[in-house]
Amino acid sequence: MNILKFGGTSVGSVASISTLLEVVAQETARGERPVVVLSAMSGVTNLLLAAAEAAAAGRPVTTMLMELENRHFGVVKSLLDAARQNPVLTRLKLLFNELEDLLLGIASLRELTSQTLDRVLSYGERCATFLVSSLAAVRFPEALCVEATELIRTDAHHGQARVETELTEQLIRGFVQEHPGRLLFVTGFIARSLQGRITTLGRGGSDYTAAILGAALGAREIQIWTDVNGMMTADPRMVNKAFSLSELSYTEAMELSYFGAKVIYPPTMIPAFMRRIPIVIKNTFDLSFAGTTIRHDCQPSALPIKGISSINDISVINVEGSGMVGKAGFSGRLFSLLAREQINVILITQASSEHSITFAVAPHDAVRAQELIGQEFELELQARKLELPGIEEDLAVLAIVGENMKQTPGIAGKLFQALGRNGVNVRAIAQGSSEYNISVIIGRADLAKALNAVHDAFFVALTKTLHVFALGTGNIGRTLLAQLHAHQDFLREQNGVQVRVVGLSNSRRMVVDAGGLPLDGWEAALENGHSEPADLARFVAHMKQLNLPNCVLLDNTAAPEPAAYYAEALRHSISVVTCNKIANSGPYQQYRELRDAARQHGADFYYETNVGAGLPIIRTLRDLRTSGDRVERIEAILSGTISFIFNNFRGAASFHDIVREAQQRGYTEPDPRDDLNGRDFMRKMLILARDAGHPLEPDDVVIEPMLPAACLQAPTAAAFYEQLRAHEGYFNELKDRAAAAGKVLRYIGQLADGQARISLQMVDEQHPFYQLSGADNVVSFTTERYKERPLVVKGPGAGAEVTAAGVFADLVNVGTR
């Protein structure tokens, strides 16, 4: 059988309960007879806790009780026929009456013990389980509501009781044998002590209940149904790039859960681990998600770590003094004291000099821990052998976890490099000899930045050493090679980077030399006896065969053929740097494949010059998203040709003459319509849209023509110019209308609400695109942070020098970002 545990959000509404029942129906349709474990409705446990505390303080609880009743009664009335409602509502009313009497007793005594609190909190699971089992009985007559107090025995440690495993398993197996064929709906979280009192298993204890049942019954798997897509590489609320993991080991899952991942309650893994029962975390709100499986026999992973976990708010206590040095038993006294007083220690680190111990606790425990230490070590404090413990607040823990970390050099180095490069100060470090976890304490204000930086370092897997295979020796390729030659000493001395071009190809010849080609004599190298006729497939085969570290495929062409080899290169951990737009502006599947290949195989894919030549547009967009900002709108002029035309189309100038001048200056293709039809502009807007997170296809970008149809449809370039002259009145009317309104004409691409459009617009002097000159490109980013005043990037968007400079920057950034 399977154990199905549904969390609070899964029983928190009419819709989620309906989904829950459908999941159970799918199990039974396969001939399964699952055991269903249920939490209280979402928010109910907190409400019960608040009611108990209010009663103990003498405050009224009537409103809270009414809210509890209304939530449960509302579900009954929505999902049950009127004829079936009365028995369910009556039983729920009796439970709420019991709860009210209990709260009145607390109010009378003005006292709330842990034993009484456990009894109050039990009503959340008891009401939810009875409610859901009653709804299930309509479809499954064999449904039976079971209170776990009849099955699970614990000690009398109220609030987080310890299970009496042997007796509990006997009771569970005996109960199931006595009720063959029944579909059991069991309360999570609660149990009963050997003294007969209701106990609880700790917050999140419903997961534990499921694991206990699964272990006792030898379940095939334990399914934890929650409201997220399983265990993720990091907290998705802080790291936009976080993604779901398909599987983890028990050790990895326990480490991640202990250090802040709230998807699963850490003790859950223990019974499952002992019996090697897989735990599958599924999403009630996304049934298509396959789930994250926690098992003992995980397949080898290519990822260096499995995830990054965090605890968002901790306090650190520093205990130091000469009286600790060589003092046997000091640590025992300290941590026995904290354990005895139920203060959980999250992380411990001790200096090798034994002069200090640093440990982290929850903020609400910090002052009490400080007071207890002062009492326990009063004599040492008076003798000045120990300093009064100091408390540091507003801190957080970040932990990287994964079995691949064991005996893998460089993991710690990559972690601290990522943190240091982003200005994150590490206050304390802890790593066990098992090497499954490296934990650091940092400032809480830096947590989001640190998570994003570390996630990029490990999951966008950057490289540093550069062996380059370059395609293209035209204007951009030739200029780039000259720039690399001119700056090679600077790169080596200032950046610690050496760029070695080991392969070079143009459309005629190619040459490969593992020792490196001379940057000041590459033309001769392409023509000497070591070169061979150009063959892109053979060139790529040479690149793979050499298997050099930190390899980069550099595409300086505009041809379609190289793009077909990008994914292959990335799958061989070869980074790709390109100014060629074809790969990124084709089908979205290809775009996605390249990014997935880069991530999965530890390579980089850089293409800054796809949009705006050397302008830092792609990098700016990526950095905005990496830092957690949300892009709301992008406006852009991304055609140097069109920008030049409209920057000069004013006064007495004719549109025909401006286009002719643009062609004479070399701004346009031989047929100017190749620029003016907006297709190249569309490709750039498409790339920006995709990088902003929108899965658009080329046809999704709406292009509103800037030219009359007759101009675009002219049979030749000469005929095109004749049509421009024939439509001079049309263009002058646009110019005059704009001038009369104090505006100028601009051909602008816009991305908003996931929709991309390019159109001719009139903008006034308040618009950031009003003041442009020459062939400038400009992009305006409106984001959550840059809402009132958008972030604008402006400058030359064409030319071999600036484009080559952009490729240069991408190349030297491989392995450094």
Side-chain angles (χ1 to χ4, degrees):
M1 65 175 64
N2 289 335
I3 308 296
L4 311 184
K5 180 267 173 178
F6 292 92
T9 53
S10 300
V11 295
S13 67
V14 171
S16 61
I17 292 175
S18 298
T19 303
L20 180 161
L21 294 174
E22 187 58 38
V23 170
V24 174
Q26 291 174 6
E27 284 281 310
T28 58
R30 291 194 292 267
E32 303 285 347
R33 185 65 62 190
V35 174
V36 182
V37 178
L38 299 169
S39 296
M41 283 185 166
S42 57
V44 164
T45 301
N46 287 336
L47 191 57
L48 288 168
L49 176 60
E53 292 174 343
R59 299 193 301 270
V61 297
T62 304
T63 302
M64 299 179 191
L65 286 170
M66 287 299 298
E67 182 179 345
L68 287 169
E69 286 191 15
N70 290 338
R71 287 195 62 184
H72 291 79
F73 289 176
V75 172
V76 173
K77 293 174 182 178
S78 296
L79 293 179
L80 273 183
D81 295 336
R84 298 175 183 267
Q85 291 178 11
N86 191 56
V88 180
L89 294 174
T90 299
R91 174 59 182 157
L92 285 172
K93 184 62 178 176
L94 289 173
L95 288 170
F96 288 128
N97 287 343
E98 290 177 14
L99 173 61
E100 185 175 14
D101 290 342
L102 183 57
L103 291 172
L104 287 173
I106 295 170
S108 298
L109 296 171
R110 291 292 196 274
E111 181 181 61
L112 179 61
T113 65
S114 58
Q115 177 179 296
T116 304
L117 179 59
D118 274 359
R119 187 170 184 85
V120 171
L121 297 181
S122 72
Y123 282 90
E125 273 68 21
R126 293 166 67 191
C127 292
T129 304
F130 172 73
L131 169 59
V132 174
S133 64
S134 299
L135 297 172
V138 177
R139 301 175 67 175
F140 316 107
E142 68 275 22
L144 177 64
C145 179
V146 184
E147 294 201 3
T149 52
E150 303 301 315
L151 306 178
I152 301 176
R153 292 290 179 268
T154 70
D155 63 12
H157 185 184
H158 292 278
Q160 194 155 4
R162 177 173 297 178
V163 175
E164 300 290 339
T165 303
E166 186 175 346
L167 175 57
T168 293
E169 292 191 349
Q170 290 175 3
L171 290 172
I172 292 171
R173 287 193 288 265
F175 186 90
V176 172
Q177 290 169 5
E178 292 170 7
H179 297 83
R182 300 304 296 268
L183 180 57
L184 305 183
F185 288 79
V186 184
T187 56
F189 179 55
I190 64 174
R192 188 182 299 278
S193 70
L194 296 174
Q195 294 76 26
R197 301 288 187 177
I198 290 178
T199 57
T200 59
L201 303 178
R203 293 300 293 266
S206 293
D207 292 351
Y208 194 15
T209 304
I212 293 167
L213 288 165
L217 298 173
R220 183 170 60 250
E221 69 180 28
I222 299 164
Q223 297 179 6
I224 307 295
W225 289 84
T226 181
D227 58 355
V228 295
N229 279 347
M231 299 283 278
M232 303 189 76
T233 51
D235 186 342
R237 295 169 299 181
M238 296 189 186
V239 181
N240 292 335
K241 297 180 182 179
F243 56 91
S244 300
L245 295 164
S246 59
E247 65 175 14
L248 302 115
S249 69
Y250 292 112
T251 302
E252 290 169 334
M254 280 191 277
E255 292 281 359
L256 286 171
S257 298
Y258 180 74
F259 281 92
K262 302 300 185 184
V263 175
I264 190 168
Y265 183 52
T268 298
M269 266 76 75
I270 298 171
F273 172 76
M274 298 300 292
R275 301 294 173 86
R276 294 193 170 185
I277 301 171
I279 300 171
V280 184
I281 303 170
K282 291 177 171 284
N283 190 347
T284 310
F285 302 92
D286 183 5
L287 298 183
S288 64
F289 173 61
T292 296
T293 302
I294 302 168
R295 63 170 86 239
H296 76 281
D297 55 348
C298 281
Q299 296 299 312
S301 171
L303 297 173
I305 65 173
K306 278 293 179 68
I308 308 164
S309 196
S310 59
I311 301 176
N312 297 355
D313 190 11
I314 63 159
S315 293
V316 165
I317 297 179
N318 298 304
V319 181
E320 58 182 320
S322 60
M324 298 168 55
V325 179
K327 184 75 171 181
F330 183 88
S331 297
R333 284 177 64 193
L334 173 61
F335 294 113
S336 294
L337 166 69
L338 298 174
R340 188 168 62 245
E341 297 297 327
Q342 301 298 308
I343 294 176
N344 182 43
V345 177
I346 298 168
L347 179 149
I348 304 168
T349 182
Q350 181 174 14
S352 58
S353 65
E354 301 184 38
H355 187 265
S356 67
I357 295 177
T358 298
F359 61 92
V361 298
H364 59 79
D365 286 332
V367 173
R368 189 160 66 95
Q370 183 186 46
E371 293 171 351
L372 290 168
I373 294 169
Q375 296 168 11
E376 176 71 19
F377 297 97
E378 183 178 4
L379 294 178
E380 288 87 346
L381 288 167
Q382 289 179 354
R384 302 281 184 161
K385 292 184 177 181
L386 202 66
E387 301 294 330
L388 183 67
I391 299 176
E392 295 184 61
E393 298 177 323
D394 295 324
L395 299 174
V397 175
L398 181 151
I400 60 172
V401 173
E403 292 187 346
N404 276 2
M405 292 167 56
K406 190 170 186 178
Q407 298 178 351
T408 301
I411 296 295
K414 184 174 285 191
L415 168 65
F416 296 119
Q417 181 187 21
L419 295 173
R421 191 168 62 242
N422 287 276
V424 178
N425 184 39
V426 176
R427 313 291 283 274
I429 306 164
Q431 179 179 15
S433 60
S434 66
E435 298 187 67
Y436 290 146
N437 177 316
I438 302 176
S439 303
V440 296
I441 296 176
I442 61 176
R444 186 172 62 177
D446 288 332
L447 181 59
K449 178 169 67 172
L451 283 169
N452 279 280
V454 173
H455 194 275
D456 276 354
F458 284 101
F459 295 111
V460 185
L462 306 178
T463 56
K464 188 174 181 69
T465 308
L466 304 176
H467 292 88
V468 177
F469 289 77
L471 299 173
T473 58
N475 285 341
I476 295 172
R478 182 180 296 272
T479 304
L480 175 62
L481 291 169
Q483 291 177 353
L484 288 172
H485 177 249
H487 293 89
Q488 56 185 342
D489 292 338
F490 174 85
L491 289 176
R492 183 173 57 253
E493 296 169 7
Q494 300 297 322
N495 296 352
V497 174
Q498 181 180 4
V499 178
R500 180 174 294 171
V501 178
V502 295
L504 186 62
S505 177
N506 57 25
S507 60
R508 298 177 296 102
R509 306 291 296 177
M510 69 181 192
V511 61
V512 175
D513 185 342
L517 301 170
L519 292 175
D520 58 346
W522 59 265
E523 296 96 336
L526 267 179
E527 300 301 330
N528 67 21
H530 295 292
S531 68
E532 58 185 297
D535 184 324
L536 185 55
R538 282 180 54 78
F539 187 80
V540 172
H542 281 313
M543 179 175 63
K544 294 189 297 183
Q545 184 179 7
L546 282 175
N547 196 29
L548 295 170
N550 306 312
C551 188
V552 182
L553 175 61
L554 179 64
D555 182 9
N556 292 316
T557 77
E561 292 81 5
Y565 292 92
Y566 289 2
E568 183 179 354
L570 294 167
R571 284 193 290 268
H572 283 80
S573 298
I574 298 170
S575 294
V576 175
V577 172
T578 180
C579 63
N580 190 331
K581 293 186 285 291
I582 291 175
N584 282 324
S585 59
Y588 180 78
Q589 179 60 35
Q590 176 177 273
Y591 169 93
R592 185 72 264 162
E593 178 188 3
L594 295 175
R595 276 140 197 83
D596 290 344
R599 176 180 59 81
Q600 293 167 8
H601 298 279
D604 295 327
F605 180 39
Y606 288 160
Y607 47 92
E608 179 66 62
T609 50
N610 277 196
V611 179
L615 295 178
I617 294 172
I618 296 292
R619 187 173 298 121
T620 298
L621 176 56
R622 182 172 62 241
D623 289 347
L624 288 170
R625 299 192 73 215
T626 298
S627 66
D629 205 356
R630 190 174 70 86
V631 177
E632 298 179 351
R633 182 182 181 87
I634 297 175
E635 290 185 287
I637 294 175
L638 297 174
S639 168
T641 302
I642 298 174
S643 180
F644 174 85
I645 290 170
F646 284 111
N647 289 341
N648 290 277
F649 184 42
R650 57 180 181 267
S654 76
F655 194 85
H656 169 278
D657 293 342
I658 297 298
V659 174
R660 181 77 72 179
E661 181 182 354
Q663 184 174 24
Q664 291 169 352
R665 290 190 177 211
Y667 290 149
T668 76
E669 296 294 332
D671 188 336
R673 286 172 297 178
D674 292 341
D675 297 287
L676 302 183
N677 62 16
R679 296 297 298 176
D680 186 67
F681 197 159
M682 177 277 292
R683 295 186 186 97
K684 296 174 183 178
M685 282 302 299
L686 180 64
I687 294 169
L688 281 182
R690 288 172 170 178
D691 278 10
H694 303 288
L696 300 185
E697 296 292 349
D699 290 341
D700 293 331
V701 182
V702 178
I703 305 174
E704 294 182 8
M706 55 177 284
L707 301 177
C711 298
L712 293 173
Q713 295 168 5
T716 64
F720 161 70
Y721 276 109
E722 292 176 4
Q723 287 296 328
L724 285 185
R725 195 174 295 282
H727 286 82
E728 201 63 43
Y730 167 82
F731 296 114
N732 287 336
E733 193 273 336
L734 288 174
K735 178 177 62 175
D736 294 340
R737 183 149 45 95
K743 299 180 179 181
V744 293
L745 295 170
R746 298 286 183 257
Y747 198 51
I748 298 175
Q750 293 177 317
L751 174 69
D753 300 322
Q755 305 295 316
R757 176 181 296 273
I758 303 171
S759 60
L760 185 62
Q761 299 181 32
M762 300 179 185
V763 300
D764 60 23
E765 61 184 1
Q766 302 302 317
H767 197 282
F769 296 179
Y770 183 84
Q771 292 288 350
L772 291 179
S773 61
D776 278 355
N777 280 195
V778 60
V779 177
S780 168
F781 297 101
T782 302
T783 72
E784 286 184 341
R785 295 174 188 159
Y786 295 92
K787 187 181 293 287
E788 301 299 327
R789 298 181 64 192
L791 175 62
V792 177
V793 180
K794 182 171 73 170
E801 285 290 335
V802 293
T803 303
V807 176
F808 189 124
D810 273 351
L811 181 60
V812 297
N813 274 321
V814 170
T816 63
R817 291 177 59 83

